[in-house]
């Protein structure tokens, strides 16, 4: 039996121990920055933004209470030649020593922040309170005073096209009489105007050629704003306002060479296609047509910054490309030659991995062999091949096996019969063909074979929006052997019998995702979304109806003698990250899903149903252990056939904090379950009803440890049951922990 006190008390004691004596390595006469307080009188500028300008922040606190990383550093001895002392210093954080120069610098930067946001008369003062324990508290007091507002704005520009862009009030980010005099907004407005103007071909015009003149002589905290063009000492007005067009596009293909080296040192081969020239050393790497399609800088078209950005993005997305460099050379008649150096990527990869498994009380071991080729047909096509094998020991002479593999071939474009070259150039997409095979052998139960094939489209947009369309996906489930004992067990429920019949799934679907994370604002709160919908069997059902095909004894159509599924399934997930600093955050997650059978079959296929519990759900239960509803399997063991549902709900809240080195800690609260759409005799209490589902939520809490190695995150969570819907009414709330009231969950990656 595991007692909660036996788990949490040692953890808290360890945190307290390593957090003691925080000033051990603070020299005499110096002070440890213990607290930083910011106080000001306006809500226009978020406090998180003000804090980002502070040059010295205290050592990070774990759980908001303990300076664990500082404690580990102080846990080291003073002899730095000993490896154990160097280890503790490496995984810990050195004390933040008060620096008056950095405090003064912070004052000036905060004052400049307020000045740039319109608070030109803001007053910033710092005070330092120190103690005998060598600790200091820095307080920044900000008096914002009356801000300056923007009264009027107009552009004083002679050039008609530039004036039209600058005077576009619908697109302008400057809104007179509605905004403060904010230099950040003015900078965004210059970016907007220059980007649109350069997209018309004005190659020599830059952001530095625009200037705002400000008149604040009214003495009433209002300003008038005028946009004008500055003279360019390096370029005449003729060149400044001259449109440039693309002349030739030259592709250089060679590893890590500059254009000068390529053209002067090496003997190169050249291919010319219209106004495109391909210069390469040795064997040609990528077909010219693929490079042309991925390049938005087109001969005889105007120069465009947007075309440059899209060319970078499209070329770098090619799997056969390591990185790209684009430069321009001005020639006569206001034309530009484009030089693009394409450095090829490593073509082939091979990797292996081994993993331990634990499922339904059985331990096992598995492994994967992975092979990839990034340029199969010299068009940056990606071929991937994976082989997988798994062994699980289930008792004497009861060994479970699984082996299989999958293959994929991805093309870096839309494979559409009527798509134009321009369409394919403008939409960065991939087309993928896939195939899979899986063989499963369960002792004294069954042997199952699953084969599948399909093709899909993937493309992305700005703002981190991704799309995935399964145009067609077909899978066939075949059971060549089922033992007599297992057949008798399956006969107890029509759902069991259906799951272990040969069946076909022919489906199509769409899924997408969006992330609000911004790399240039890493401490900003953000949300991410994922959503999916799929349908199966409609085409086959319509065809059977049209042909008036006969039905079987259950009223279902078959194709080649095989029953096929017909259903609609939809899922939605949203995750919100509330950041306190770079080492502490709370993450909220909501996930809902539903699968509805109809038409040819009243049941959802086993592989399309939901389960609850496990590392990414309600972590007080292991996978398939919770639900559906208040259902509890007989004998207290996990039964995959009964502990699944057609509706899912997951609600999670997790506090994540940096501990030390690569380790992170987490405290979490989970709630959720799965339910069936219909009331099945084999799953009593599992059907979803609005009047009862709240009382059927499984609720769990616990703690976890993560090891973040950047490329992979290893995770272990210990969850305790708080509310168990499968127990009698007086026992549902678990005030005492028994052997059945907690679960360890091992996983790779964050849960959400």
């Amino acid at each position: 039996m595991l007692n909660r006190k036996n788990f949490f008390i040692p953890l808290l004691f360890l945190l307290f121990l390593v957090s003691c004596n925080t000033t051990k390595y603070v020299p005499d006469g110096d002070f440890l920055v213990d607290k930083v307080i910011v106080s000001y009188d306006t809500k226009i500028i978020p406090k998180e933004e003000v804090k980002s300008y502070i040059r010295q922040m205290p050592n990070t606190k774990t759980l908001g209470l303990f300076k664990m990383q500082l404690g580990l550093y102080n846990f080291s001895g003073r002899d730095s030649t000993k490896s154990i002392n160097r280890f503790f210093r490496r995984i810990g954080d050195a004390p933040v020593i008060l620096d008056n120069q950095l405090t003064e610098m912070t004052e000036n930067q905060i004052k400049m922040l307020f000045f740039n946001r319109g608070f030109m008369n803001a007053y910033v003062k710092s005070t330092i309170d120190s103690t005998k324990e060598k600790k200091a508290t820095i307080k920044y007091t900000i008096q914002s005073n009356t801000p300056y507002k923007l009264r009027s704005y107009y552009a004083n520009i002679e050039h008609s096209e530039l004036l039209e862009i600058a005077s576009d009030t619908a697109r302008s980010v400057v809104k007179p009489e509605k905004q403060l005099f904010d230099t950040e907004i003015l900078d965004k407005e210059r970016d907007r105007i220059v980007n649109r103007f350069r997209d018309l071909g004005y190659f020599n015009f830059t952001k530095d050629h625009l200037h705002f003149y400000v008149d604040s002589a009214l003495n009433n905290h209002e300003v008038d704003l005028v946009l004008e063009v500055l003279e360019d000492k390096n370029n005449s007005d003729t060149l400044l306002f001259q449109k440039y067009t693309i002349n030739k596009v030259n592709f250089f293909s060679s590893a890590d060479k500059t254009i000068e080296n390529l053209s002067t040192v090496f003997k190169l081969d050249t291919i010319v296609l219209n106004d495109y020239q391909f210069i390469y050393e040795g064997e040609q790497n990528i077909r010219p047509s693929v490079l042309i399609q991925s390049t938005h800088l087109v001969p005889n078209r105007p120069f465009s910054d947007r075309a440059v950005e899209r060319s970078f993005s499209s070329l770098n997305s090619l799997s056969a490309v390591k990185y790209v460099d684009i430069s321009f050379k001005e020639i006569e008649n206001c034309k530009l030659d484009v030089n693009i150096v394409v450095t090829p990527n490593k073509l082939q990869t091979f990797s292996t991995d081994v993993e331990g498994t634990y499922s339904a009380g059985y331990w096992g071991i598995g492994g994967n062999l992975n092979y990839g080729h990034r340029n199969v047909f010299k068009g940056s096509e990606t071929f991937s091949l994976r082989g997988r094998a798994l062994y699980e020991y289930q008792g004497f002479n009861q060994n479970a096996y699984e082996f299989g593999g999958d293959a994929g071939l991805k093309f870096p474009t839309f494979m559409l019969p009527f798509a134009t070259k321009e369409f394919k150039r403008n939409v960065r997409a991939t087309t993928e063909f896939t195939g899979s095979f899986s063989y499963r052998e369960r002792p004294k139960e069954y042997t199952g074979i699953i084969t599948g094939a399909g093709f899909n489209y993937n493309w992305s947009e700005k703002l981190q929006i991704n799309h995935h369309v399964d145009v067609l996906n077909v899978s066939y489930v075949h059971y060549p052997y089922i033992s007599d004992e297992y057949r008798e067990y399956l006969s107890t429920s029509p759902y069991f019998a259906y799951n272990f019949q040969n069946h076909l799934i022919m489906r199509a679907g769409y899924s997408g995702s969006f992330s609000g994370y911004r790399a240039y604002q890493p401490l900003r709160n953000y949300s991410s979304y994922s959503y999916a919908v799929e349908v199966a069997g409609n085409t086959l059902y319509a065809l059977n109806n049209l042909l008036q095909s006969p039905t079987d004894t259950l009223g279902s159509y078959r194709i080649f003698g095989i029953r096929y599924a017909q259903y609609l399934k939809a899922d939605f997930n949203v995750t919100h990250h509330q950041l306190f600093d770079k080492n502490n955050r709370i993450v909220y997650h909501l996930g809902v899903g539903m699968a509805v059978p109809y038409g040819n079959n009243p049941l959802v296929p086993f592989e399309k149903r939901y389960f609850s519990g496990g590392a990414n759900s309600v972590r007080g239960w292991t996978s398939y252990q919770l639900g559906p509803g208040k259902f509890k399997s007989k004998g207290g063991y996990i039964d995959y056939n009964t502990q699944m549902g057609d509706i899912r709900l997951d609600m999670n809240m997790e506090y994540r904090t940096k501990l030390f080195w690569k380790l992170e800690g987490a405290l979490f609260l989970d709630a959720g379950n799965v339910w069936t759409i219909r009331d099945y005799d084999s799953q009593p209490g599992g059907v979803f009803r609005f009047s009862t589902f709240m009382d059927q939520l499984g609720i769990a809490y616990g703690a976890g440890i993560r090891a973040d190695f950047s490329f992979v995150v290893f995770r272990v969570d210990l969850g305790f049951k708080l509310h168990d819907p499968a127990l009698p009414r007086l026992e549902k709330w678990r005030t005492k922990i028994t052997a059945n009231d907690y679960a360890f969950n091992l996983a790779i990656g964050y849960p959400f």
Side-chain angles (χ1 to χ4, degrees):
M1 182 182 298
L2 180 65
N3 190 293
R4 283 173 291 187
K5 293 182 180 179
N6 294 338
F7 174 73
F8 286 108
I9 290 180
L11 175 62
L12 293 175
F13 178 75
L14 174 63
L15 292 172
F16 176 77
L17 181 65
V18 299
S19 299
C20 292
N21 194 18
T22 56
T23 59
K24 175 180 178 180
Y25 284 108
V26 177
D28 292 337
D30 288 331
F31 297 91
L32 174 73
V33 177
D34 189 50
K35 294 181 182 178
V36 173
I37 301 172
V38 178
S39 174
Y40 63 103
D41 55 0
T42 180
K43 295 182 179 180
I44 294 177
I45 304 177
K47 182 169 288 188
E48 291 76 16
E49 185 174 0
V50 178
K51 285 185 176 180
S52 68
Y53 286 84
I54 296 176
R55 307 291 291 181
Q56 277 193 304
M57 293 295 289
N59 291 92
T60 302
K61 288 185 177 180
T62 299
L63 305 177
L65 300 171
F66 308 102
K67 295 183 179 180
M68 186 174 183
Q69 296 177 63
L70 173 60
L72 286 169
Y73 186 94
N74 291 337
F75 201 69
S76 67
R78 297 187 179 275
D79 187 353
S80 60
T81 62
K82 293 184 177 180
S83 59
I84 185 64
N85 293 334
R86 293 197 302 271
F87 170 75
F88 278 112
R89 294 188 184 189
R90 185 171 64 253
I91 66 174
D93 283 347
V96 178
I97 306 298
L98 176 65
D99 187 328
N100 291 320
Q101 288 185 341
L102 293 178
T103 303
E104 184 179 349
M105 187 182 299
T106 299
E107 273 190 42
N108 295 331
Q109 290 187 341
I110 293 177
K111 185 175 182 179
M112 184 59 65
L113 167 66
F114 275 75
F115 182 90
N116 290 336
R117 293 300 181 85
F119 297 91
M120 297 182 180
N121 297 319
Y123 173 77
V124 182
K125 181 182 179 182
S126 63
T127 56
I128 300 173
D129 295 327
S130 56
T131 66
K132 294 181 180 179
E133 291 79 19
K134 297 184 180 180
K135 296 181 180 181
T137 298
I138 309 174
K139 183 176 182 181
Y140 296 98
T141 303
I142 308 163
Q143 185 177 337
S144 59
N145 294 320
T146 305
Y148 280 76
K149 296 183 179 180
L150 184 61
R151 191 180 74 158
S152 66
Y153 164 63
Y154 72 95
N156 181 25
I157 297 172
E158 294 182 2
H159 193 277
S160 59
E161 285 184 300
L162 183 58
L163 177 62
E164 182 181 356
I165 295 172
S167 303
D168 188 348
T169 56
R171 291 186 172 92
S172 176
V173 297
V174 178
K175 306 295 181 184
E177 300 180 359
K178 295 181 180 180
Q179 294 173 330
L180 298 182
F181 177 61
D182 189 334
T183 58
E184 185 174 300
I185 292 176
L186 304 187
D187 202 49
K188 289 180 180 179
E189 176 68 359
R190 285 203 303 165
D191 285 335
R192 181 192 72 83
I193 295 170
V194 171
N195 288 341
R196 291 198 63 200
F197 195 56
R198 284 175 60 86
D199 282 342
L200 298 177
Y202 294 97
F203 176 72
N204 286 317
F205 196 89
T206 67
K207 183 177 176 179
D208 293 334
H209 293 122
L210 289 181
H211 182 76
F212 288 102
Y213 289 93
V214 180
D215 183 4
S216 59
L218 301 173
N219 201 27
N220 59 354
H221 295 93
E222 291 184 333
V223 299
D224 294 322
L225 196 64
V226 181
L227 178 66
E228 294 187 354
V229 177
L230 284 177
E231 293 183 3
D232 191 335
K233 297 179 180 179
N234 298 319
N235 292 302
S236 65
D237 289 344
T238 303
L239 289 177
L240 196 62
F241 292 103
Q242 177 63 54
K243 288 186 177 181
Y244 281 75
T245 57
I246 303 300
N247 182 48
K248 291 183 178 181
V249 179
N250 304 313
F251 290 94
F252 296 85
S253 179
S254 189
D256 302 314
K257 308 284 195 317
T258 65
I259 292 176
E260 291 77 12
N261 287 336
L262 283 168
S263 58
T264 61
V265 178
F266 297 97
K267 182 179 179 181
L268 305 176
D269 295 315
T270 303
I271 296 176
V272 178
L273 295 175
N274 298 324
D275 290 316
Y276 294 94
Q277 188 170 237
F278 301 86
I279 304 151
Y280 55 92
E281 176 191 2
E283 185 180 358
Q284 183 182 337
N285 182 38
I286 304 175
R287 290 197 310 273
S289 59
V290 175
L291 295 174
I292 292 174
Q293 182 178 292
S294 302
T295 304
H296 299 266
L297 293 159
V298 181
N300 301 317
R301 290 188 185 179
F303 163 83
S304 167
D305 270 345
R306 186 166 180 264
V308 176
E309 293 174 3
R310 296 180 69 186
S311 296
F312 266 117
S313 180
S314 296
L315 289 168
N316 279 312
S317 69
L318 297 177
S319 60
V321 174
K322 186 177 182 180
Y323 54 80
V324 173
D325 179 70
I326 301 177
S327 60
F328 299 89
K329 182 179 180 181
E330 293 186 50
I331 60 175
E332 58 185 11
N333 299 324
C334 293
K335 291 183 178 293
L336 297 170
D337 278 345
V338 184
N339 295 317
I340 303 176
V341 178
V342 179
T343 301
N345 208 344
K346 182 180 179 181
L347 292 185
Q348 301 186 65
T349 61
F350 182 81
S351 64
T352 60
D353 55 82
V354 179
E355 61 183 22
T357 63
Y358 180 76
S359 176
Y362 300 118
W363 290 95
I365 185 171
N368 297 296
L369 295 175
N370 307 291
Y371 169 77
H373 195 296
R374 296 188 173 102
N375 198 25
V376 179
F377 307 121
K378 294 188 179 297
S380 198
E381 302 91 353
T382 303
F383 174 73
S384 60
L385 184 65
R386 184 185 70 148
R388 174 175 173 79
L390 176 68
Y391 165 80
E392 189 175 85
Y393 178 75
Q394 297 184 354
F396 182 71
N397 287 332
Q398 296 189 52
N399 302 313
Y401 302 93
E402 178 180 339
F403 63 85
D406 50 69
L409 180 61
K410 184 184 295 184
F411 296 85
T413 184
F414 268 125
M415 302 288 285
L416 293 172
F418 304 109
T420 64
K421 291 182 179 179
E422 195 65 24
F423 173 79
K424 292 181 178 181
R425 173 183 282 130
N426 290 330
V427 180
R428 194 176 75 213
T430 62
T431 303
E432 185 175 17
F433 297 87
T434 60
S436 62
F437 172 83
S438 176
Y439 176 90
R440 300 174 183 175
E441 185 175 312
R442 311 287 294 183
K444 299 183 179 180
E445 293 182 356
Y446 66 88
T447 298
I449 300 174
I450 303 175
T451 56
F455 81 95
N456 58 72
Y457 296 123
N458 297 274
W459 72 97
S460 59
E461 300 178 29
K462 288 185 177 180
L463 302 177
Q464 302 184 64
I465 303 175
N466 300 299
H467 307 277
H468 174 92
V469 174
D470 274 310
V471 181
L472 179 65
N473 191 292
V474 180
S475 60
Y476 173 50
V477 182
H478 175 57
Y479 291 96
Y481 167 77
I482 300 177
S483 68
D484 293 337
E485 295 84 354
Y486 204 62
R487 284 186 185 276
E488 184 178 352
Y489 160 70
L490 295 176
S491 65
T492 60
S493 168
Y495 213 119
F496 298 171
Y498 168 70
N499 286 337
F500 285 87
Q501 289 179 355
N502 298 339
H503 61 274
L504 180 75
I505 302 176
M506 180 176 172
R507 65 180 180 87
Y510 165 80
S511 61
S513 64
F514 164 76
S515 175
Y517 175 75
R518 299 291 178 264
Y520 57 86
Q521 293 179 309
L523 296 182
R524 174 188 175 188
N525 297 342
Y526 68 95
S527 299
S528 58
Y529 305 85
S530 64
Y531 33 86
V533 60
E534 66 178 71
V535 293
N538 291 350
T539 302
L540 295 176
Y541 191 81
L543 185 62
N544 284 135
N545 260 317
L546 182 65
L547 299 177
Q548 297 183 346
S549 303
T551 59
D552 60 16
T553 56
L554 298 177
S556 298
Y557 292 118
R558 293 175 179 261
I559 183 169
F560 304 118
I562 305 169
R563 294 180 68 186
Y564 59 86
Q566 192 172 10
Y567 63 87
L568 171 66
K569 183 178 181 180
D571 290 276
F572 176 78
N573 290 276
V574 57
T575 304
H576 179 71
H577 292 251
Q578 181 182 357
L579 287 81
F580 301 103
D581 53 50
K582 65 178 182 179
N583 293 318
N584 293 276
R585 69 178 63 192
I586 296 179
V587 185
Y588 308 88
H589 170 255
L590 169 67
V592 293
M594 178 181 292
V596 182
Y598 62 93
N600 201 54
N601 205 300
L603 303 170
V604 178
F606 173 83
E607 54 268 38
K608 294 298 178 180
R609 300 188 88 196
Y610 301 107
F611 66 89
S612 191
N616 301 314
S617 183
V618 187
R619 284 165 280 184
W621 288 259
T622 56
S623 300
Y624 297 93
Q625 196 182 29
L626 173 60
K630 63 178 182 179
F631 170 79
K632 186 176 181 65
S633 65
K634 297 179 181 179
Y637 60 88
I638 300 174
D639 189 335
Y640 296 103
N641 297 301
T642 58
Q643 299 200 258
M644 299 188 74
D646 311 307
I647 300 171
R648 75 172 177 97
L649 173 63
D650 281 309
M651 298 178 289
N652 314 85
M653 181 173 66
E654 181 171 283
Y655 170 70
R656 299 173 185 170
T657 184
K658 178 70 176 293
L659 296 178
F660 57 91
W661 188 51
K662 304 292 185 180
L663 296 183
E664 299 176 357
L667 299 175
F668 58 81
L669 179 66
D670 300 329
N673 206 334
V674 295
W675 294 266
T676 61
I677 286 183
R678 298 184 176 90
D679 197 354
Y680 300 113
D681 292 338
S682 58
Q683 296 173 297
V687 68
F688 179 88
R689 293 187 174 90
F690 281 103
S691 59
T692 59
F693 87 94
M694 288 294 292
D695 188 53
Q696 294 176 358
L697 289 174
I699 305 176
Y701 63 94
I705 296 291
R706 294 93 166 86
D708 186 356
F709 295 98
S710 297
F711 60 93
V712 65
V713 176
F714 295 100
R715 172 166 59 96
V716 57
D717 290 320
L718 173 60
F720 296 92
K721 297 176 184 176
L722 181 61
H723 183 265
D724 189 344
L727 295 178
R729 183 175 63 86
L730 297 179
E731 300 177 20
K732 288 184 178 181
W733 291 99
R734 310 304 295 153
T735 56
K736 294 183 180 180
I737 302 299
T738 68
N740 295 320
D741 287 325
Y742 64 89
F744 282 100
N745 288 287
L746 305 175
I748 294 177
Y750 291 105
F752 39 81

